[in-house]
């Protein structure tokens, strides 16, 4: 049994057995966060790219909990330089963590923390955990190679729909057609004014145009992956 929780914006956890994986744990300064970074106790942290709304509280959480961090090699070097354990790998590669694995896949976006350090390219992540396969697209536009990611037999695709910084709802529906997941969960919308979107309309379009079910989670809400 694997449970996914939406923490607001692009932050999620996956829970199975006694393990908890945090993805892009942006809580401090996240207007949609429903919990404090101090209350999140992951056993692994996955970071898709170097923007502040994705690195978020990674360093403070990793320092407090000792949770290992995983991300692309330059980003891992940057985070590891702040006194935490970080494993760096690269696109196409898979790294194992306690209870599962994460494969880095392409994303089209940019990636730079606030201090301007070079932290490599942005990535998406295919996470295998608790018997489920979950694709976190990170921040990206639509791209045709999502068809290849779809060959990973995804239970869930977590896709940005906010537009402006990433693909918007119409392109995200096209992404669902490429990815062919059982379920899609929208994220990266309604956090800030430029990315306001109607998730109910996205769900309607997904379910009219594809056989994928759309699960819209409110910040703080959990869903047991069926
Ligand atoms: Ni970004
Ligand atoms: Mn972002």
């Amino acid at each position: 049994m694997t449970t996914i929780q939406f923490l607001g914006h692009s932050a999620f956890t996956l829970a199975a057995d006694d393990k908890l994986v945090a993805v892009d744990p942006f809580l401090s300064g996240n207007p949609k966060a429903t919990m404090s970074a101090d209350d999140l106790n992951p056993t692994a942290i996955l970071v898709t790219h170097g923007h502040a709304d994705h690195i978020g509280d990674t360093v403070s959480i990793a320092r407090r909990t000792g949770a290992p961090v995983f991300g692309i090699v330059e980003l891992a070097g940057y985070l590891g330089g702040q006194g935490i354990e970080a494993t760096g790998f690269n696109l196409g590669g898979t790294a194992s963590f306690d209870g599962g694995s994460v494969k880095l896949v392409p994303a089209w976006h940019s990636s730079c923390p606030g201090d301007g350090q070079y932290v490599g390219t942005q990535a998406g992540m295919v996470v295998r955990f608790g018997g489920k396969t979950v694709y976190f697209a990170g921040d990206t536009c639509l791209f045709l190679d999502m068809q290849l990611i779809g060959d990973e037999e995804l239970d869930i695709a977590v896709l940005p729909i906010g537009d402006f910084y990433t693909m918007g709802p119409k392109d995200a529906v096209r992404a669902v057609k490429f990815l062919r997941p059982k379920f899609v969960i929208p994220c990266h919308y309604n956090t800030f004014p430029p990315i306001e979107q109607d998730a109910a309309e996205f769900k309607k379009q997904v379910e009219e145009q594809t056989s994928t079910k759309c699960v819209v989670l409110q910040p703080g809400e959990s869903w047991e992956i069926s």
Side-chain angles (χ1 to χ4, degrees), residues 111-170:
S111 182
C112 189
D115 60 11
Q117 295 275 326
Y118 177 70
V119 294
T121 190
Q122 62 288 343
M125 295 178 151
V126 176
V127 179
R128 292 191 164 83
F129 180 71
K132 301 294 181 185
T133 302
V134 184
Y135 166 54
F136 294 92
D139 284 359
T140 188
C141 62
L142 178 69
F143 56 99
L144 188 60
D145 285 356
M146 284 177 172
Q147 290 182 344
L148 298 176
I149 298 169
D151 291 344
E152 305 267 354
E153 300 189 344
L154 307 174
D155 292 293
I156 300 182
V158 177
L159 302 181
I161 67 161
D163 210 326
F164 200 74
Y165 302 115
T166 67
M167 60 187 173
K170 283 187 179 158

Side-chain angles (χ1 to χ4, degrees), residues 100-112:
S101 69
V102 51
K103 179 179 182 180
L104 291 182
V105 294
W108 280 96
H109 189 65
S110 60
S111 182
C112 189

